[in-house]
Structure formats: C-alpha cells, structure tokens
Amino acid sequence: MFYRQANIKNLLFLLVCITVLVVTTLLFTLGDIRRTVVGRTSDNWTSSLQINRTHNVAMGVHKLPQNQQSTKCLALKDIPHLVDSRPMNLTAGIPMYELERTIFPDHPERIRDVVSRGNRKLQRLVYTAAANVSLINGSRIMEGLASLQVRSGDYRYLPGGHWRPASCIPRWKVAIVVPFRNRTVQLSIFLRYMIPFLQKQQLEFAIYIVNQESDNSFNRGMLLNVGFLEALNFSHWDCFVFHDVDHLPLSEFNPYGCVDLPRHFIGGADNRQYKVPPWASMGGVCGFTTPQFWQINGVANVYWGWCCEDDDLKVRVRMARLKRTRYKGTIGYYKTISIHHEKIKKGVKRLERRNRKLLKTLRSRVKTDGLTNLKYDRPHLELHALYTNISVKIHRS
Ligand SMILES: *[C@@H]1O[C@H](CO)[C@@H](O)[C@H](O)[C@H]1NC(C)=O
Ligand SMILES: *[C@@H]1O[C@H](CO)[C@@H](O)[C@H](O)[C@H]1NC(C)=O
Ligand SMILES: *[C@@H]1O[C@H](CO)[C@@H](O)[C@H](O)[C@H]1NC(C)=O
Ligand SMILES: *[C@@H]1O[C@H](CO)[C@@H](O)[C@H](O)[C@H]1NC(C)=O
Ligand SMILES: *[C@@H]1O[C@H](CO)[C@@H](O)[C@H](O)[C@H]1NC(C)=O
Ligand SMILES: *[C@@H]1O[C@H](CO)[C@@H](O)[C@H](O)[C@H]1NC(C)=O
Ligand SMILES: *[C@@H]1O[C@H](CO)[C@@H](O)[C@H](O)[C@H]1NC(C)=O
Ligand SMILES: *[C@@H]1O[C@H](CO)[C@@H](O)[C@H](O)[C@H]1NC(C)=O
C-alpha cells in the first residue's frame, strides 16, 4: 500500500516535470522561429539573396528551350542501376586535357572553344560591364553565359563545369565547393570520379574550386565562405556541398541533392576503418541549404592552419537549432586519396594549439565571425572545362 502511494506520487511528480519541460521547450522554439523569420526579412544581407525556386525556373538557364523538359527528373530512389560501391581508380591523376577527353569523348575541341569564349564573356561581364554583375537586373553570371550552352550526352553543359539534365527538370541545383591549394593530382582524380557520379543522380550542379593564393597557412573556413558568396554570383543555388578534394563517396545512394541538410556526409572513411564516433565534427564533406548557411553565418574565419573550423561548425549548427544528420552504414562510406599530400610545415602544432584555445570561446563569435566579417581581395575567376577556378588572396583581419 505504502509503496503504491509513493509510486503514484512519484509518477505525478514526474508527469508535472515533463509537462513543464515540454511547455518551456515549445515556448522557446516558437520564440526562436519567430526571431529567425523576423531576423531574415529585416536583415538586408540575407534578403537580397534568398532562394526562390519559381524565380529560378523562370530565368536564365532555366528559360532555355524546354522542349522535352516537361517532366521532373527522378527522385534518387527511382533512378535505376545505382550501386552501393562505385568502382574507382585512385592510382594516379591524368593531365587535365586528357581528362577532358574522357568526359567529352566526342567533341573536346568544341568544348575548349566554348570555354574560351565563356572566359572572354566572363571578363566583360565581371570587369568591364559592371562591377555589380551579381545584381544586374537580379541576374547571375551563368545567365549571361546561357547562350554558350552545349549538349553533351544527356546533359546541357555550360563553361566552368556547370551541368544540367537535358531531358528532365532537375530537382535540385547544387554547388560543390572545394577548398584547394596545390593538390593538382588529387583534383584530377576527384573530377574524373565526381562528375559522372553527380550526373548519375540527375542533378543540376557545378564544381567550384576555391584556390588559396596567399602563401600563409591554409584557412579552410574562409575559403568555404568565399566559395559560397562567389558561387551565388554565378547562379541561384538551392544548396551547397563543401567537399575536400581527397574524399570520394563510394555509394551512389548517397544523395548529393538538397536532402537531410545540414548533413555531415561522411559516415565512415577507409582511413579510419569506416568508423565515425557520433560526436564527430562536420569535417571532410558537409552540406547546407543556402538559407541554412546564411542562418549560421557561414563558417568561422579565425582558424588558420590545421583543425577546428569543423568543430566550430558543428556547434554553430546546434546553436541555430538545426538538426545535423549523418547516414549510418555503407551509404555514407568514403574513400580517401592519400597520395600527394602537402608536406606538413613547421609551426603546424603551434597553430593547432592556438586554434584549440580559440575553440573554447567560439560561442561569443558566432554572430560576428563568418559571412558577416569576411574580407578578401576580389578573386580571379576562371572557367575551365570541368570546373570554375575561384582564386583568392585571403588575409588575417
Ligand atoms: C543594412 O542595414 C543596416 C542597418 O539595418 C544599415 O546600416 C546598412 O546600411 C544596410 N546595408 C545596406 C547595403 O543596405
Ligand atoms: C518568387 O519569384 C516570383 C517571380 O519573380 C515572384 O512572383 C514570387 O512572389 C516570389 N516568391 C517569393 C516567396 O518570394
Ligand atoms: C587507373 O588510372 C591510371 C591513370 O589513368 C591508369 O594508368 C590505370 O590503368 C588505371 N587502372 C585501372 C585498373 O583502370
Ligand atoms: C551596384 O548596384 C547598386 C544597386 O543596384 C547601385 O546603387 C550601385 O551604383 C552599383 N555599383 C556599381 C559600381 O555599378
Ligand atoms: C536590364 O534590364 C533592362 C530593361 O529590361 C534592359 O534594358 C537592360 O539591358 C538590362 N541590363 C542588362 C545588363 O542586361
Ligand atoms: C605550391 O606548389 C608550388 C610548386 O610546387 C610551391 O612553390 C609552393 O610553395 C606551394 N605552396 C604551398 C603553400 O605549399
Ligand atoms: C560576388 O559577390 C560578392 C558578395 O556577394 C561581391 O562582393 C563580389 O563583388 C561579387 N563578385 C563579382 C565578380 O561579381
Ligand atoms: C586557379 O587560378 C590560379 C590563379 O590564376 C592558379 O594559380 C591556380 O593554379 C589555378 N588552379 C586551378 C586548379 O586551376
């Protein structure tokens, strides 16, 4: 009897506690949603670049002849012949012109011609016509280049490695942003593998290599921020996948469209026995929708050298109350290209210690360090057949 009463009391107490908890969480969440919405509309740097799919479809590349394009491309689960472990060749890179011949077997010269015309047009658009190309009549660089499109296989191709399915309307427009310095051999392996991989998923996509020109330590975070802003000058992207050049996804079921974002794409890699602890950061490959990336103020700029921008990113996501996903099992498996790493320079350890110290105070910097305070020299933009090179000098501010 006594026990039962005590149990009922405990139960009641527990119920009250849970109710209080649920109600407070709800109130907080509501407040948060309201703040986000209000924040977005009143915030002038976000409002100018909001994505608007109807708007996208109505203009530029999307305005091109829609002859057989009445149907949507397939959802990933309906695409036939996807495999769980795509064959790959990691042995050596091939020269870029040879690689172009494998991607465009029928007409590599024609592509080279289109690309050089694209570059001339780009120079006119960016450097002479207006300093303001990103905002000319609400248009983007790719819309200025739309007349140069070429049919290549099942795809429409635009200079700078921008692809779009020819016979269906893609479900997603995805920018792949690759922070880069000096890893030319890895880049050629990466492109040879990734372009057919992304094509198979019937996406509209382009690959942006963000090349750090300055010779100081690598700043991956800052390069991702630059890649994000500059890619949005080229086109209206639905989402971004930030991708290290030495990681390749094994499974074709790993969606590179804008689903389950923000996502840490790596659910296991060969260099770590395909194990990822649940608390791991968002390093290597991660993705965001465009509004999500604005919302978290991009990546931190303060980490120079090895470490910590990915740990910082994980906390930004949590602070914005976004849910980070990561796929379990073979779907998230990656292979790493281990050849031709940059030599580890002296001073790396010292920088890492500094970064780890900075990491402790990251919460106070989320609003002030990221897209909002990013400063960089105007980048050198160059279209290549298989990618766009955004080459940039970045400085400590
Ligand atoms: C953005 O808004 C702030 C304050 O609301 C204002 O000071 C600033 O001039 C605005 N910037 C632009 C480009 O409109
Ligand atoms: C999206 O763009 C279209 C065309 O410019 C416009 O009519 C519509 O109001 C926009 N929608 C939103 C939600 O901004
Ligand atoms: C892998 O690629 C290299 C360089 O293109 C080539 O020499 C080699 O034959 C390829 N290996 C296989 C198994 O395809
Ligand atoms: C850029 O665009 C803004 C707004 O459209 C305009 O006020 C400004 O004068 C332009 N700047 C240049 C250099 O064309
Ligand atoms: C912007 O739009 C106006 C009016 O439609 C047009 O006359 C002008 O040429 C356009 N500017 C550019 C750079 O496309
Ligand atoms: C990049 O490679 C070039 C040529 O191999 C070398 O001179 C330069 O120091 C390298 N830069 C960095 C930052 O490693
Ligand atoms: C691209 O966009 C950034 C910021 O949105 C702007 O500062 C820069 O001038 C633009 N670059 C070009 C080439 O239009
Ligand atoms: C990108 O452009 C810079 C500057 O022109 C150049 O040094 C670098 O090699 C280029 N990188 C790639 C991958 O094309």
Side-chain angles (χ1 to χ4, degrees):
M1 195 62 187
F2 172 76
Y3 276 112
R4 204 190 289 158
Q5 263 179 3
N7 271 345
I8 289 171
K9 264 191 199 155
N10 278 350
L11 214 76
L12 275 176
F13 182 67
L14 209 77
L15 264 174
V16 170
C17 283
I18 290 174
T19 319
V20 168
L21 207 81
V22 165
V23 168
T24 27
T25 318
L26 258 174
L27 283 178
F28 268 106
T29 323
L30 280 179
D32 209 50
I33 291 170
R34 224 177 51 108
R35 265 196 303 282
T36 324
V37 171
V38 172
R40 278 221 205 113
T41 44
S42 62
D43 210 344
N44 47 20
W45 55 266
T46 59
S47 55
S48 63
L49 286 169
Q50 290 284 302
I51 54 165
N52 178 342
R53 284 197 65 81
T54 17
H55 190 59
N56 279 350
V57 173
M59 50 196 305
V61 177
H62 293 279
K63 207 163 40 183
L64 302 169
Q66 299 274 321
N67 28 7
Q68 304 119 16
Q69 293 203 354
S70 47
T71 55
K72 260 194 171 182
C73 296
L74 295 175
L76 197 61
K77 64 176 176 43
D78 300 323
I79 297 175
H81 314 304
L82 295 185
V83 298
D84 205 31
S85 183
R86 187 181 172 86
M88 61 174 77
N89 178 349
L90 298 175
T91 51
I94 50 178
M96 210 51 83
Y97 65 88
E98 241 175 74
L99 180 55
E100 288 165 16
R101 259 212 308 270
T102 57
I103 304 276
F104 303 102
D106 305 329
H107 46 277
E109 296 78 18
R110 180 151 167 244
I111 296 299
R112 249 164 250 147
D113 176 56
V114 167
V115 170
S116 61
R117 279 196 285 150
N119 271 311
R120 285 197 296 275
K121 207 159 175 183
L122 176 70
Q123 298 309 313
R124 274 203 305 280
L125 279 172
V126 174
Y127 297 108
T128 52
N132 238 338
V133 64
S134 61
L135 300 173
I136 298 171
N137 290 354
S139 176
R140 293 290 184 272
I141 292 169
M142 274 312 161
E143 288 146 16
L145 301 183
S147 62
L148 297 175
Q149 66 156 331
V150 171
R151 177 77 181 247
S152 177
D154 293 334
Y155 265 73
R156 288 173 201 277
Y157 166 83
L158 277 171
H162 185 140
W163 304 83
R164 178 165 198 258
S167 52
C168 57
I169 300 166
R171 286 169 186 257
W172 308 108
K173 281 187 72 152
V174 187
I176 312 287
V177 170
V178 182
F180 186 84
R181 184 162 70 182
N182 266 15
R183 298 217 184 152
T184 315
V185 177
Q186 296 187 350
L187 178 61
S188 115
I189 297 172
F190 178 83
L191 294 169
R192 176 173 64 188
Y193 183 79
M194 287 307 291
I195 292 170
F197 176 95
L198 294 163
Q199 287 178 335
K200 199 157 174 194
Q201 296 200 354
Q202 305 192 356
L203 301 165
E204 174 164 353
F205 67 93
I207 296 178
Y208 296 97
I209 304 299
V210 190
N211 178 61
Q212 180 175 330
E213 275 178 25
S214 22
D215 207 34
N216 37 13
S217 342
F218 198 60
N219 188 327
R220 184 172 178 272
M222 218 186 250
L223 295 179
L224 300 189
N225 287 335
V226 171
F228 175 75
L229 291 177
E230 293 293 322
L232 285 174
N233 290 349
F234 278 87
S235 199
H236 298 84
W237 297 105
D238 294 332
C239 66
F240 284 76
V241 179
F242 299 105
H243 215 300
D244 281 359
V245 71
D246 61 356
H247 277 75
L248 300 176
L250 267 164
S251 171
E252 292 176 344
F253 295 101
N254 184 347
Y256 271 59
C258 311
V259 294
D260 294 330
L261 303 178
R263 173 149 49 104
H264 183 217
F265 278 56
I266 300 180
D270 59 346
N271 61 345
R272 304 240 164 105
Q273 289 76 48
Y274 296 103
K275 288 203 179 82
V276 175
W279 63 86
S281 75
M282 295 187 75
V285 185
C286 64
F288 295 87
T289 67
T290 306
Q292 281 169 355
F293 203 66
W294 282 121
Q295 193 187 337
I296 64 169
N297 192 19
V299 193
N301 299 313
V302 292
Y303 303 106
W304 292 84
W306 182 247
C307 172
C308 301
E309 89 294 333
D310 48 354
D311 299 293
D312 184 305
L313 190 55
K314 186 179 85 172
V315 179
R316 281 174 185 243
V317 168
R318 210 161 46 211
M319 283 175 73
R321 289 169 205 274
L322 296 169
K323 190 173 155 31
R324 190 267 295 134
T325 66
R326 182 187 293 128
Y327 292 162
K328 289 206 180 82
T330 54
I331 192 171
Y333 280 5
Y334 278 73
K335 281 235 186 228
T336 50
I337 310 172
S338 56
I339 47 169
H340 301 281
H341 270 281
E342 250 181 66
K343 262 200 230 108
I344 305 236
K345 282 192 184 159
K346 276 190 283 181
V348 166
K349 277 278 164 220
R350 187 177 47 79
L351 280 175
E352 185 177 339
R353 274 198 300 275
R354 177 185 168 272
N355 288 347
R356 291 208 182 278
K357 211 177 274 169
L358 275 170
L359 202 51
K360 295 196 178 122
T361 53
L362 76 101
R363 282 182 173 73
S364 62
R365 282 190 306 273
V366 167
K367 289 249 156 63
T368 51
D369 181 40
L371 294 171
T372 39
N373 71 333
L374 179 68
K375 287 205 181 65
Y376 58 101
D377 292 354
R378 171 180 274 209
H380 183 100
L381 304 176
E382 196 171 49
L383 307 173
H384 292 248
L386 305 179
Y387 62 93
T388 295
N389 181 352
I390 299 169
S391 189
V392 64
K393 279 204 177 77
I394 51 180
H395 314 278
R396 278 169 214 260
S397 46

